[in-house]
Amino acid sequence: MRFDILAPALALVPLVAGHGAVTSYVIGSTTYPGYEGFSPASSPKTIQYQWPDYNPTMTVTDAKMRCNGGTRADLSAPINAGQNITAVWKQWTHQQGPVMVWLFKCAGDFSACKGDGKGWFKIDQMGLWGNVLNSNNWGTALVYKNLKWSSMIPRNLAPGNYLIRHELLALHQANTPQFYAECAQLVVSGSGTAALPSDHLYSIPTYAPQNDPGVTVDIYNGGGTSYTPPGGDVWSGFQF
Ligand SMILES: *[C@@H]1O[C@H](CO)[C@@H](O)[C@H](O)[C@H]1NC(C)=O
Ligand SMILES: [Cu+2]
């Protein structure tokens, strides 16, 4: 009986001690506040999709894989092709696993753009450098150190409305991947005409199988000396 009473109360305690989420963005000299609390909230309005908590997504088929459960934002930020966007994390605690930055081109207005279908592609990523999986030589270790990540919008990206998705994949628990992804709305200007090949476009969720070697991995055992992030590489036709 005691546990029945305690369980709901415990469930209400936000797990802010670990984990993390993108909490703001910087483009040029402008800082765009992201969402920093626990949904739902209406103030301030943000360019970011609201998300419910700092907790990880554990399975590749979970709807939270796309934007940590968020489905819309009130604002969007202008950015030029060739300009950088810096995502900022108020907290981040893991140092093993890749950073991956994705875009999705909207067919029209943001109000009708939810990132459905096979339209997500990477513009930036960093996995492991060196050959020791159980090390701090990972993209996410740089987020741990700097609490930010800067990526260039490809110079030849076609202008339009885009969703940007910052994804941290934490691999510190053997064979228990933790995904952390947040999304925001960008209006890209420029005169690019780049057209990605279809083999660089993915649906999210399920851009990779749960048993992808870049997803389900034991960094402490197994003798691996290299790592390939799930979801392919950044298209070589992009100009940075
Ligand atoms: C801009 O982003 C690229 C990655 O796309 C990065 O290598 C570069 O350091 C960033 N520039 C700045 C000033 O942060
Ligand atoms: Cu965590």
Side-chain angles (χ1 to χ4, degrees):
M1 280 311 280
R2 236 191 123 76
F3 287 107
D4 288 340
I5 294 162
L6 278 173
L10 285 172
L12 289 175
V13 178
L15 295 170
V16 294
H19 314 314
V22 177
T23 46
S24 63
Y25 302 86
V26 180
I27 300 171
S29 57
T30 306
T31 297
Y32 294 90
Y35 184 61
E36 286 191 22
F38 296 83
S39 301
S42 55
S43 174
K45 292 188 183 330
T46 68
I47 67 168
Q48 188 184 49
Y49 280 20
Q50 288 187 10
W51 36 268
D53 55 49
Y54 279 146
N55 294 330
T57 305
M58 311 295 286
T59 51
V60 299
T61 52
D62 192 325
K64 283 184 74 185
M65 272 294 283
R66 189 181 292 169
C67 299
N68 194 10
T71 55
R72 60 174 295 280
D74 290 305
L75 307 177
S76 58
I79 190 166
N80 298 322
Q83 199 174 10
N84 274 43
I85 176 170
T86 301
V88 177
W89 286 257
K90 231 176 190 173
Q91 62 174 60
W92 176 248
T93 51
H94 307 305
Q95 300 196 71
Q96 289 84 34
V99 176
M100 299 175 275
V101 184
W102 304 71
L103 292 179
F104 179 96
K105 190 170 197 302
C106 298
D109 290 349
F110 287 117
S111 59
C113 180
K114 304 296 168 208
D116 292 327
K118 202 180 155 193
W120 290 94
F121 56 90
K122 288 180 180 172
I123 58 163
D124 190 17
Q125 71 177 356
M126 185 178 287
L128 175 76
W129 65 93
N131 58 10
V132 183
L133 271 65
N134 182 17
S135 72
N136 293 344
N137 296 336
W138 290 91
T140 50
L142 297 179
V143 175
Y144 175 86
K145 183 176 168 219
N146 301 319
L147 291 176
K148 60 185 182 180
W149 189 268
S150 188
S151 307
M152 187 183 286
I153 300 299
R155 296 180 194 283
N156 58 338
L157 188 77
N161 292 342
Y162 285 85
L163 306 180
I164 188 166
R165 174 177 179 272
H166 285 84
E167 175 177 27
L168 306 181
L169 168 51
L171 301 173
H172 57 288
Q173 288 187 343
N175 299 316
T176 310
Q178 300 185 353
F179 296 89
Y180 300 83
E182 283 79 34
C183 301
Q185 299 180 160
L186 296 179
V187 180
V188 176
S189 55
S191 54
T193 56
L196 275 91
S198 62
D199 66 353
H200 280 70
L201 297 172
Y202 292 85
S203 299
I204 301 177
T206 64
Y207 72 81
Q210 188 75 23
N211 65 0
D212 185 290
V215 171
T216 299
V217 51
D218 181 346
I219 64 165
Y220 309 102
N221 290 295
T225 55
S226 67
Y227 175 83
T228 304
D233 55 4
V234 176
W235 179 47
S236 60
F238 279 137
Q239 293 163 4
F240 293 102

